[in-house]
Amino acid sequence: MTTSTPRDTVDRAAATPEREQPFAALGLKPDEYARIRDILGRRPTSAELAMYSVMWSEHCSYKSSKTHLRTFGQKVTPEMQERLMVGMGQNAGVLDVGEGWAVTFKIESHNHPSFVEPFQGAATGVGGIVRDIISMGARPVAVMDALRFGHEDHPDTARVVHGVVGGISFYGNCLGLPNIGGETVFDAVYQGNPLVNALAVGVLRHEDLHLANATGVGNKVVLFGARTGGDGIGGASILASESFDDEGPAKRPAVQVGDPFAEKVLIECCLELYAAGVVEGIQDLGAAGISCATSELAANGESGMKVELDHVLLRDPTLTAEEILMSESQERMMAIVDPAKLDEFLRITAKWDVETSVLGEVTGDGRLVITHSGDTIVDVDPKTVAIDSPVYDRPMARPDWQDALQADSASTLPRVTGEALGDQLLALAGSANLADASWITDQYDDYVLGNTALSTPDDAGMVRIDEESGLGFAVAVDANGRYCQLDPREGAKLALAEAYRNVAVSGATPIGVSDCLNFGNPEIPAVMWQFAEAVDGLADGCVELGIPVTGGNVSFYNQTGETQIHPTPVVGVLGIIDDVDRRLPSGWQDDGQALFLLGTTRDELDGSAWAGAVHDHLGGLPPKVDLSAEQRLAGLMHGIAFEGLATSAHDLSEGGLGMAVVESALRFGIGARIWLSGLTERDGVDETAALFSESGARALVAVAREDEVKFTGMCEARGVPVLRIGVTDATSGLVDIQDVASIPLADLRAANRAPIRSRFA
């Protein structure tokens, strides 16, 4: 994009209303362009057009989802607000975790850039979410990622897998942040549109909290960090608001380029600035760059701002004013600084060798005015850019194929008994979505900083916050696109329930949610119906569980051609534990311990891993969600961990009891003897359902013999069904399921390691 000659100033825009402008090429619809003209009372300048186009893009404005996302703010109880210090609307949510500590966390998508240029797309996704955490005043302490790729055997999948995994490991490892968990899923529905959702967590003292508000007339607007270049112009903001055609990746120039070493220095610099008390407000520069940072800071602070673009330090001196505003160059921050503290601010940034420039100052007139070479090229109300963007109430319609899909139940699929069931368990263990992902996770450093208490392959990642008290947090991310395809409302609740359960079985108490809502084209009524159903389900589920949605991200237009992804709401749940020494790993480590199944098993195989991996089937209705049962289980697990009554715990989810046993046994190489007769008799299910049902609110727990009586007593007192179904066996080297099959651990491990390593290592 180039500016015209003479420069397109505000005065010139007012004098030349007839000038044609490339609004469509910038992603604006004709009615949106007309609305901008109405707001301004004239046509926009080229710079204003650039600013509105990026800030009104789907990625930045949430124009298709706002009307539904309000549900999260409307469905709130006093219980949900008890620990909430900062909710939706800021860079990341913040929760009070006790002892004067707070935790901030958020998950965001970087899907489209990660298809175009997988390495940089994924790397800058990590960098961007970490800067959100920094901007809250926190020290980043951990990252996680939820990844979805195309079919594992498709010829293009390896390109995306290698690039994404390499980008995540490069950026996170260089930053010195432990990657403590996540998930990896392969499905042909994500072939041309992988999902790369990155989560970051930070810790801070209550008094160190900072917000993205520009207040205080006369305060300086300061840009610091990396220089502004041509990378990422129109990147995340416009790229994430478009879909790919069948020709494949073709938008490489719009993907940002990350420098984790620059970000590491930026982290330490910011923390020293906070400690010195020289920052009044702060915003990271991500999607939409300076356009976003200036308009959001001014709008959030209900103030104005005057900025001189000539003061922006450039990596490329040929950039136009419009390109400077739109650039999404990484590792940049914008601070609001009291003039009396500016010298100290500059002293600290100089100490860290972080380039800094004063762009302008906060004003009280409610206008965002930007000049370039002495000419006024932007003069707008910042709220019209950052807050009052278009809001669409898109048409919604239940898909005409939904009823037929739900009628096609897995109950009609053939079932087997005996050794054949063992073969099916081996097949599940050897399927890509239940496979050992260590080839991926071994590329991540999970213990840097020295505070990691649990990490992959445990059900949740756990990090110590305070060395003296042992206070810590646990976090897990989960989603099941297959369930959501069958029923998006119940599927979203199931994702919430599983993440909640994963945190609970680690011994922590869940207290908050961040979500990343990945969906197809919002202009298709069926997709908007899926989205609305999922949001309502998630909001209702949070009310029932008593935990708030603290923030998150929406990613639309996840499609290739006309093929929409499965609705994939990824839910992150964070919990607290008073002492990480009470944590529960997901696998047993000792011989002769009793294995107890908590919860009730129903014949629920629709959408299951068994239906998919064994029968290549997707249909029916997902498992019933019972959030009151999830709460009882979580309360019980907290009590068990606090009293030290268990040595391990593993939630039951994909692959059911069978995979929980396999994963727990393989965790430390300790076998087990399992009997199903008591379960089939008590719950009225056959052996297939006993092994592979994916009913919720269940966990597999290992208990030392001397604690069995107290353990079962606590289960009964808290109303959680409990059944002894086996014993750990350190000598046999087998998973021996009575009257079904006896499978060597070596065979299970070989099958479990093969799917990912054989294709990508």
Side-chain angles (χ1 to χ4, degrees), residues 643-730:
E643 297 291 339
L645 298 180
T647 59
S648 76
H650 193 340
D651 89 304
L652 269 64
S653 52
E654 290 93 344
L657 174 62
M659 279 308 300
V661 170
V662 169
E663 290 168 354
S664 297
L666 293 180
R667 181 76 173 87
F668 297 107
I670 306 294
R673 299 193 303 277
I674 303 292
W675 44 91
L676 301 177
S677 55
L679 177 58
T680 56
E681 181 179 343
R682 187 195 70 176
D683 290 348
V685 294
D686 63 13
E687 290 179 333
T688 297
L691 274 179
F692 302 126
S693 169
E694 296 181 3
S695 298
R698 295 185 301 159
L700 179 63
V701 181
V703 179
R705 291 188 183 278
E706 62 269 22
D707 293 322
E708 287 186 42
V709 173
K710 194 172 181 180
F711 172 84
T712 55
M714 183 177 285
C715 294
E716 291 161 3
R718 293 178 180 261
V720 176
V722 58
L723 184 67
R724 191 172 190 269
I725 62 159
V727 62
T728 62
D729 184 350

Side-chain angles (χ1 to χ4, degrees), residues 203-359:
V203 299
L204 66 156
R205 302 297 295 176
H206 287 190
E207 61 270 20
D208 293 334
L209 178 63
H210 283 72
L211 300 176
N213 300 337
T215 57
V217 174
N219 282 343
K220 299 302 180 182
V221 178
V222 183
L223 182 65
F224 64 110
R227 289 192 168 220
T228 298
D231 55 312
I233 290 177
S237 51
I238 290 185
L239 197 56
S241 301
E242 297 180 353
S243 56
F244 294 116
D245 59 29
D246 294 323
E247 295 176 1
K251 298 188 176 181
R252 187 179 304 273
V255 176
Q256 309 91 332
V257 177
D259 179 352
F261 298 106
E263 180 137 334
K264 175 61 177 171
V265 172
L266 194 59
I267 291 172
E268 301 305 326
C269 180
C270 284
L271 292 172
E272 185 166 339
L273 291 169
Y274 299 150
V278 296
V279 175
E280 304 299 318
I282 192 161
Q283 170 82 312
D284 74 299
L285 271 70
I290 292 174
S291 295
C292 178
T294 53
S295 59
E296 286 194 352
L297 281 164
N300 289 343
E302 298 186 343
S303 63
M305 188 181 289
K306 184 170 184 180
V307 167
E308 297 180 57
L309 280 191
D310 305 82
H311 294 167
V312 176
L313 299 177
L314 301 179
R315 198 165 64 237
D316 178 357
T318 68
L319 293 182
T320 65
E322 294 84 356
E323 289 169 331
I324 294 169
L325 285 171
M326 295 176 75
S327 170
E328 295 179 1
S329 293
Q330 300 291 286
E331 294 87 41
R332 297 180 299 162
M333 305 287 282
M334 184 173 285
I336 306 301
V337 182
D338 186 323
K341 300 177 180 178
L342 182 60
D343 286 345
E344 178 65 6
F345 186 101
L346 295 174
R347 185 193 68 79
I348 293 170
T349 57
K351 168 189 170 181
W352 288 99
D353 200 23
V354 171
E355 290 194 291
T356 309
S357 58
V358 178
L359 301 190

Side-chain angles (χ1 to χ4, degrees), residues 151-153 157-158 161-162 186 439 755-761:
H151 193 282
E152 60 271 21
D153 290 323
T157 299
V161 169
H162 284 125
F186 297 89
W439 175 81
I756 293 178
R757 288 180 181 273
S758 65
R759 291 173 172 89
F760 306 114

Side-chain angles (χ1 to χ4, degrees), residues 6-319:
R7 184 184 303 278
D8 196 21
T9 65
V10 169
D11 288 342
R12 181 171 177 78
T16 55
E18 74 288 346
R19 178 183 167 186
E20 291 189 10
Q21 295 184 283
F23 63 86
L26 290 171
L28 289 168
K29 305 288 192 282
D31 60 322
E32 293 172 338
Y33 176 67
R35 179 173 171 180
I36 294 168
R37 293 184 68 122
D38 287 342
I39 289 170
L40 297 175
R42 55 174 169 79
R43 72 165 177 83
T45 66
S46 296
E48 289 168 338
L49 183 64
M51 179 175 276
Y52 277 106
S53 73
V54 290
M55 291 303 293
W56 283 17
S57 67
E58 189 70 62
H59 184 76
C60 293
S61 73
Y62 294 80
K63 57 190 175 186
S64 297
S65 56
K66 264 185 184 176
T67 185
H68 300 286
L69 295 177
R70 290 177 181 139
T71 303
F72 291 129
Q74 294 163 352
K75 295 182 177 180
V76 177
T77 65
E79 179 188 10
M80 296 166 71
Q81 295 178 307
E82 287 177 3
R83 292 185 176 272
L84 186 64
M85 295 175 64
V86 176
M88 293 183 293
Q90 287 286 335
N91 285 307
V94 182
L95 294 162
D96 176 9
V97 297
E99 301 178 18
W101 288 102
V103 168
T104 176
F105 79 123
K106 189 179 182 182
I107 185 168
E108 281 197 341
S109 64
H110 229 225
N111 302 338
H112 297 79
S114 297
F115 177 65
V116 175
E117 216 307 319
F119 185 94
Q120 291 294 350
T124 54
V126 174
I129 195 65
V130 168
R131 286 194 304 280
D132 280 336
I133 297 304
I134 303 169
S135 66
M136 300 308 297
R139 174 177 288 280
V141 295
V143 294
M144 299 180 88
D145 49 81
L147 308 177
R148 279 165 176 78
F149 302 112
H151 193 282
E152 60 271 21
D153 290 323
H154 189 282
D156 190 49
T157 299
R159 173 188 72 90
V160 181
V161 169
H162 284 125
V164 166
V165 173
I168 291 170
S169 62
F170 165 72
Y171 208 101
N173 291 352
C174 290
L175 278 184
L177 293 178
N179 189 313
I180 57 174
E183 55 178 359
T184 304
V185 173
F186 297 89
D187 194 305
V189 77
Y190 304 108
Q191 195 61 60
N193 205 126
L195 304 184
V196 177
N197 295 176
L199 177 145
V201 189
V203 299
L204 66 156
R205 302 297 295 176
H206 287 190
E207 61 270 20
D208 293 334
L209 178 63
H210 283 72
L211 300 176
N213 300 337
T215 57
V217 174
N219 282 343
K220 299 302 180 182
V221 178
V222 183
L223 182 65
F224 64 110
R227 289 192 168 220
T228 298
D231 55 312
I233 290 177
S237 51
I238 290 185
L239 197 56
S241 301
E242 297 180 353
S243 56
F244 294 116
D245 59 29
D246 294 323
E247 295 176 1
K251 298 188 176 181
R252 187 179 304 273
V255 176
Q256 309 91 332
V257 177
D259 179 352
F261 298 106
E263 180 137 334
K264 175 61 177 171
V265 172
L266 194 59
I267 291 172
E268 301 305 326
C269 180
C270 284
L271 292 172
E272 185 166 339
L273 291 169
Y274 299 150
V278 296
V279 175
E280 304 299 318
I282 192 161
Q283 170 82 312
D284 74 299
L285 271 70
I290 292 174
S291 295
C292 178
T294 53
S295 59
E296 286 194 352
L297 281 164
N300 289 343
E302 298 186 343
S303 63
M305 188 181 289
K306 184 170 184 180
V307 167
E308 297 180 57
L309 280 191
D310 305 82
H311 294 167
V312 176
L313 299 177
L314 301 179
R315 198 165 64 237
D316 178 357
T318 68
L319 293 182

Side-chain angles (χ1 to χ4, degrees), residues 68 71-72 75 488-489 492-493 530-542:
H68 300 286
T71 303
F72 291 129
K75 295 182 177 180
R489 179 183 293 262
K493 283 186 181 180
Q530 291 174 328
F531 181 80
E533 286 286 294
V535 169
D536 282 348
L538 193 52
D540 289 343
C542 286

Side-chain angles (χ1 to χ4, degrees), residues 521-704:
N521 186 343
E523 297 167 47
I524 297 175
V527 171
M528 278 313 299
W529 176 83
Q530 291 174 328
F531 181 80
E533 286 286 294
V535 169
D536 282 348
L538 193 52
D540 289 343
C542 286
V543 168
E544 191 166 348
L545 291 174
I547 57 176
V549 173
T550 65
N553 174 237
V554 176
S555 176
F556 276 133
Y557 296 97
N558 291 291
Q559 62 184 95
T560 302
E562 296 304 312
T563 302
Q564 310 295 314
I565 66 161
H566 289 163
T568 312
V570 175
V571 180
V573 170
L574 184 135
I576 53 175
I577 186 167
D578 64 338
D579 188 346
V580 297
D581 286 345
R582 295 192 174 105
R583 67 192 179 276
L584 292 170
S586 63
W588 45 75
Q589 303 178 57
D590 298 305
D591 183 49
Q593 297 201 335
L595 297 177
F596 288 94
L597 175 63
L598 303 180
T600 300
T601 301
R602 294 175 292 272
D603 194 317
E604 295 182 307
L605 292 164
D606 290 353
S608 67
W610 173 82
V614 175
H615 297 284
D616 193 23
H617 179 273
L618 177 61
L621 293 168
K624 177 186 175 184
V625 187
D626 186 345
L627 295 178
S628 62
E630 299 285 1
Q631 281 186 305
R632 289 193 297 275
L633 177 65
L636 171 65
M637 292 308 307
H638 173 74
I640 288 169
F642 187 83
E643 297 291 339
L645 298 180
T647 59
S648 76
H650 193 340
D651 89 304
L652 269 64
S653 52
E654 290 93 344
L657 174 62
M659 279 308 300
V661 170
V662 169
E663 290 168 354
S664 297
L666 293 180
R667 181 76 173 87
F668 297 107
I670 306 294
R673 299 193 303 277
I674 303 292
W675 44 91
L676 301 177
S677 55
L679 177 58
T680 56
E681 181 179 343
R682 187 195 70 176
D683 290 348
V685 294
D686 63 13
E687 290 179 333
T688 297
L691 274 179
F692 302 126
S693 169
E694 296 181 3
S695 298
R698 295 185 301 159
L700 179 63
V701 181
V703 179

